[in-house]
Amino acid sequence: MLWTVGFAVSQNVGFSPTLHNCGNKFEKWATLRMERGAKEKNHQLYKPYTNGIIAKDPTSLEEEIKEIRRSGSSKALDNTPEFELSDIFYFCRKGMETIMDDEVTKRFSAEELESWNLLSRTNYNFQYISLRLTVLWGLGVLIRYCFLLPLRIALAFTGISLLVIGTTVVGYLPNGRFKEFLSKHVHLMCYRICVRALTAIITYHDRENRPRNGGICVANHTSPIDVIILASDGYYAMVGQVHGGLMGVIQRAMVKACPHVWFERSEVKDRHLVAKRLTEHVQDKSKLPILIFPEGTCINNTSVMMFKKGSFEIGATVYPVAIKYDPQFGDAFWNSSKYGMVTYLLRMMTSWAIVCSVWYLPPMTRETDEDAVQFANRVKSAIARQGGLVDLLWDGGLKREKVKDTFKEEQQKLYSKMIVGNHEDRSRS
Amino acid sequence: MPACTMGNEASYPEEMCSHFSQDEIKRLGKRFKKLDLDCSGSLSVDEFLSLPELQQNPLVQRVVDVFDTDGNGEVDFREFILGASQFSVRGDEEQKLRFAFSIYDMDKDGYISNGELFQVLKMMVRDNLKDWQLQQLVDKTIITLDRDGDGKISFEEFSAVVGGLEVHKKLVVIV
């Protein structure tokens, strides 16, 4: 158990890759132990398909219906049938596949792990396997709650207070180079303290591509921590809605030191206004790059969902960033329908650590023949490719809303074309 | 999504008569619980429609109806397993053809009538085709397939056309 304590302490005061590796090896041992125990009792612990419970066959509507019809080649080949009874097979199968396992809803809950990391929250089949493992888990709980948690809360408290006080003080200075310099460094220092408070082990890649003034930084969104992770390695202007309470205090203090873009609740709905303010900000080269999360909601870091086109219409240079969390030591995904912000932060602070990788991708600009949506999709694919995430066209807003009717009608249109198209050919001949 | 605490995961009745192993049933059980948003023990059409990809599938109502063997409007776990079992790779041809037949046979009387075929086709095309165009297709299909001249398509007439072409292999979902 000494390694766990040593590991946790070292993470709080500095980064130690060797202990990180030890951590992984230890977990593998714990998992093997559990699997052995499970086999003895003839239980199955983990699904073999960790990406879903079925093996999917991805074919399009047209391809598959044509294939089904072709296999019924008892008909003459020139007499293309307009409608076949077997056409429903495609819809039935697709429907069944979706019922068994769909691509969308599983993005809104935390990823399931292959090996257990001694957090009961990630073990969905928690059973008593052996005394040794339970004791280890108990010790883990002790360390996490009684030792790490108070340490982290103290650090978080320090970080936030320093941010508020620091930025307010800097706010009193006259505008100028010195103020900007101080403000950047105050922000940076406080974010770095917050990173320690969460024991976040971050690996930054390709730092030469870091966003510059007058640009927009876009990244995939998994949790509010994303902001802290990015802002502890660069200087950004934040965009967001004005909140009340503690968040509001922080926001008001921050904006005294340097310009951030905070919107009132009512202004958020007005897309024109939002676009105007963002454009004004990026055109001023002295202002810091804006940080935006175009998905609009938190996704569980296995995929990237639809990017809202607003930020891509402005015409500024876009600096894409891919953030990939390693859920082994603690899952960073914020399931906002399950946990409130405070509960979420407590869960973060009682995990072992938050491990993630950040890739700064080369800047992209909109091409002349592209519209905002195509540009957004291009950026999204680049981010998904780099982070090893699934690139989905689905809207993250589906967490809370239904699919728009236009999508429903698409399938029907496609199928109708298959029937009607042939019909028209025949009437012409 | 709420997690249901109901149900005993450890054992499922063997008389389920499905093609699934205990392990596959367990996985499907987990999926069932996840879909059952109000923890009522059975899935309503609305709960199926909470899946965005199903919302765009024109035949979802028919598939749910075919699953719902007792006709109470909801699919309980037994019906779920039995329904999914028909898509198992271990299922036989006749089972799959019967499933496909039931999609058309809305009143479950063993025959596909002109009206039923029209309604199912209408679900698949919506307003993209005019009613008279649809009716033409339906009439043509029935005339071509109806051997005994009763104006309806029986299961035998259905399988004569659709079966034996290995088309049923398309109705497979591997769990």
Side-chain angles (χ1 to χ4, degrees):
Chain A
M1 284 310 296
L2 275 176
W3 83 264
T4 335
V5 176
F7 167 70
V9 169
S10 78
Q11 293 324 321
N12 269 300
V13 295
F15 174 65
S16 176
T18 41
L19 283 175
H20 187 191
N21 283 332
C22 284
N24 281 331
K25 288 206 183 82
F26 179 75
E27 276 182 30
K28 295 229 163 57
W29 173 83
T31 316
L32 276 168
R33 190 74 192 76
M34 284 195 71
E35 283 177 348
R36 228 184 330 139
K39 275 204 188 87
E40 285 158 18
K41 299 189 184 168
N42 282 322
H43 288 147
Q44 178 84 6
L45 272 187
Y46 300 104
K47 320 182 279 241
Y49 295 103
T50 41
N51 275 330
I53 66 173
I54 57 174
K56 280 197 189 156
D57 190 13
T59 43
S60 76
L61 185 151
E62 266 194 74
E63 272 170 29
E64 188 150 335
I65 293 191
K66 284 210 179 107
E67 208 186 302
I68 298 180
R69 289 183 181 177
R70 246 181 286 131
S71 64
S73 56
S74 54
K75 302 224 161 64
L77 283 169
D78 58 348
N79 183 13
T80 346
E82 295 148 333
F83 160 67
E84 280 287 319
L85 285 177
S86 54
D87 286 350
I88 56 161
F89 282 31
Y90 172 77
F91 292 112
C92 291
R93 192 175 63 82
K94 273 277 159 196
M96 268 319 284
E97 278 182 358
T98 308
I99 292 175
M100 295 294 141
D101 188 21
D102 74 304
E103 280 298 319
V104 183
T105 52
K106 67 184 181 196
R107 310 294 172 192
F108 300 139
S109 59
E111 200 182 344
E112 294 193 18
L113 294 176
E114 289 197 39
S115 55
W116 192 38
N117 59 358
L118 285 186
L119 299 174
S120 64
R121 64 187 72 151
T122 48
N123 188 351
Y124 302 99
N125 290 309
F126 185 62
Q127 288 155 10
Y128 179 76
I129 297 291
S130 81
L131 183 61
R132 223 173 5 157
L133 209 54
T134 317
V135 165
L136 271 170
W137 172 74
L139 265 168
V141 169
L142 209 68
I143 294 178
R144 282 184 292 123
Y145 281 84
C146 304
F147 177 65
L148 293 177
L149 184 63
L151 202 67
R152 287 171 178 165
I153 293 187
L155 278 171
F157 190 67
T158 318
I160 295 179
S161 335
L162 273 177
L163 183 66
V164 173
I165 299 174
T167 45
T168 317
V169 164
V170 170
Y172 286 123
L173 294 173
N175 285 343
R177 295 268 303 273
F178 185 58
K179 180 177 181 182
E180 276 170 30
F181 174 79
L182 261 188
S183 137
K184 276 184 189 175
H185 285 270
V186 164
H187 274 106
L188 201 70
M189 179 185 73
C190 299
Y191 287 128
R192 290 207 170 145
I193 297 180
C194 289
V195 162
R196 287 273 171 264
L198 292 166
T199 322
I201 304 169
I202 313 167
T203 321
Y204 296 101
H205 303 264
D206 306 324
R207 293 175 84 228
E208 66 274 8
N209 290 326
R210 272 189 304 170
R212 314 234 164 92
N213 283 11
I216 299 184
C217 174
V218 305
N220 57 316
H221 201 25
T222 306
S223 107
I225 298 181
D226 293 341
V227 175
I228 302 180
I229 288 180
L230 288 180
S232 61
D233 187 50
Y235 313 109
Y236 297 97
M238 308 287 163
V239 176
Q241 215 178 304
V242 170
H243 285 93
L246 178 63
M247 264 318 290
V249 171
I250 300 178
Q251 283 176 324
R252 279 193 293 276
M254 280 169 70
V255 84
K256 286 192 189 125
C258 76
H260 296 280
V261 187
W262 302 129
F263 288 102
E264 296 292 332
R265 258 236 132 100
S266 50
E267 292 175 322
V268 172
K269 295 280 156 75
D270 186 350
R271 284 188 43 194
H272 256 343
L273 181 67
V274 170
K276 189 159 157 288
R277 279 187 67 181
L278 290 178
T279 318
E280 277 168 8
H281 188 108
V282 300
Q283 277 167 355
D284 183 350
K285 294 294 176 207
S286 68
K287 293 194 179 156
L288 299 167
I290 301 183
L291 179 57
I292 288 189
F293 298 100
E295 280 165 312
T297 186
C298 294
I299 309 295
N300 77 347
N301 209 236
T302 54
S303 68
V304 184
M305 296 186 107
M306 188 177 98
F307 275 8
K308 309 236 183 308
K309 62 178 179 176
S311 5
F312 299 91
E313 287 174 324
I314 300 177
T317 318
V318 168
Y319 295 90
V321 176
I323 308 177
K324 177 80 179 112
Y325 290 89
D326 184 353
Q328 278 304 111
F329 289 92
D331 195 312
F333 169 57
W334 182 31
N335 189 344
S336 52
S337 42
K338 225 173 164 186
Y339 307 111
M341 173 69 98
V342 181
T343 323
Y344 167 71
L345 284 173
L346 279 175
R347 279 168 69 91
M348 287 299 102
M349 296 203 211
T350 53
S351 311
W352 291 114
I354 310 286
V355 181
C356 69
S357 300
V358 175
W359 286 272
Y360 292 104
L361 295 161
M364 292 174 148
T365 39
R366 192 166 91 176
E367 320 247 317
T368 36
D369 54 346
E370 259 187 336
D371 67 2
V373 175
Q374 288 165 328
F375 181 39
N377 283 335
R378 190 160 61 92
V379 173
K380 178 158 70 76
S381 302
I383 294 183
R385 234 192 334 264
Q386 181 64 280
L389 306 163
V390 176
D391 186 3
L392 292 179
L393 289 173
W394 293 98
D395 184 351
L398 289 172
K399 220 198 249 182
R400 302 201 170 89
E401 294 155 11
K402 289 237 146 141
V403 172
K404 290 207 194 76
D405 283 336
T406 38
F407 286 103
K408 287 189 220 180
E409 280 139 33
E410 231 180 79
Q411 289 271 298
Q412 289 161 331
K413 269 208 195 97
L414 263 172
Y415 180 65
S416 310
K417 274 209 201 98
M418 285 199 77
I419 310 185
V420 169
N422 292 328
H423 199 223
E424 277 171 2
D425 288 337
R426 298 188 83 235
S427 57
R428 250 183 268 139
S429 61
Chain B
M1 286 181 191
C4 302
T5 47
M6 55 136 254
N8 178 13
E9 260 190 330
S11 61
Y12 293 101
E14 289 298 339
E15 79 262 14
M16 287 254 185
C17 297
S18 70
H19 292 289
F20 295 127
S21 63
Q22 272 289 345
D23 183 50
E24 287 165 332
I25 293 186
K26 208 165 169 199
R27 273 185 265 153
L28 287 171
K30 260 179 95 174
R31 178 66 177 169
F32 184 84
K33 273 197 216 154
K34 220 175 161 206
L35 290 173
D36 188 10
L37 301 169
D38 60 4
C39 296
S40 60
S42 57
L43 302 176
S44 63
V45 177
D46 281 336
E47 282 166 336
F48 278 108
L49 288 177
S50 68
L51 300 170
E53 284 160 303
L54 263 193
Q55 285 166 33
Q56 65 175 43
N57 188 320
L59 289 182
V60 62
Q61 183 69 57
R62 289 304 310 140
V63 173
V64 175
D65 273 349
V66 173
F67 270 42
D68 180 22
T69 42
D70 63 9
N72 68 345
E74 302 213 333
V75 175
D76 60 35
F77 188 61
R78 199 178 142 275
E79 291 167 338
F80 184 72
I81 292 288
L82 287 174
S85 169
Q86 296 177 63
F87 278 82
S88 160
V89 68
R90 303 180 200 101
D92 61 23
E93 185 185 344
E94 191 187 317
Q95 236 188 5
K96 293 184 197 296
L97 289 177
R98 284 230 174 252
F99 186 90
F101 186 78
S102 323
I103 297 278
Y104 287 110
D105 182 15
M106 294 172 76
D107 58 7
K108 303 188 193 192
D109 67 352
Y111 293 98
I112 303 176
S113 69
N114 191 306
E116 286 171 341
L117 190 54
F118 182 85
Q119 281 185 64
V120 174
L121 207 59
K122 183 97 181 149
M123 285 181 205
M124 292 200 277
V125 305
R126 251 312 140 83
D127 303 321
N128 294 294
L129 280 178
K130 306 227 180 1
D131 279 0
W132 64 263
Q133 286 173 303
L134 274 180
Q135 192 60 62
Q136 251 186 3
L137 287 172
V138 169
D139 292 337
K140 207 162 145 245
T141 311
I142 297 206
I143 293 173
T144 321
L145 301 184
D146 183 23
R147 296 218 191 126
D148 59 10
D150 59 357
K152 305 184 278 200
I153 304 177
S154 67
F155 181 66
E156 289 69 35
E157 290 161 346
F158 181 78
S159 358
V161 160
V162 178
L165 305 172
E166 313 239 302
V167 166
H168 65 279
K169 290 208 175 125
K170 284 288 160 185
L171 286 182
V172 170
V173 172
I174 303 175
V175 180

